[in-house]
Amino acid sequence: MAAGTIRYWAAAKSAAGVAEERYEAESLAQALTAARERHPGELVRVLERCSFLVDGDPVGTRGHETVRLAEGGTVEVLPPFAGG
């Protein structure tokens, strides 16, 4: 099991109540399931609309269960941004 950091931005940060926290997971799906369990409520709804970067690479449309997490890695949780 890999350990790393999840960083929450904007509405995700507000919903989680923290800017970042540790993960222990093999895949992005596992890390997000644990985050939902730690922060039930608004974060669960926000995560449905978020984009994710894993170690700087966009996840895009890949299944979260197929995205492997590295030891010491970083997951960025990016809600949709207004404007442009």
Side-chain angles (χ1 to χ4, degrees):
M1 189 134 330
T5 303
I6 297 177
R7 291 188 184 141
Y8 299 104
W9 297 96
K13 179 179 172 181
S14 178
V18 296
E20 63 181 50
E21 61 188 355
R22 302 290 294 162
Y23 70 73
E24 288 189 20
E26 293 295 323
S27 70
L28 178 58
Q30 290 175 349
L32 294 176
T33 295
R36 288 180 187 101
E37 290 171 356
R38 282 190 302 274
H39 309 285
E42 185 61 23
L43 184 62
V44 173
R45 290 182 288 282
V46 170
L47 288 176
E48 293 173 0
R49 301 183 311 270
C50 288
S51 299
F52 304 94
L53 299 176
V54 173
D55 297 329
D57 294 324
V59 170
T61 60
R62 289 183 287 163
H64 295 168
E65 67 283 347
T66 69
V67 179
R68 299 327 250 172
L69 300 179
E71 182 68 29
T74 302
V75 174
E76 307 278 350
V77 180
L78 307 169
F81 293 93

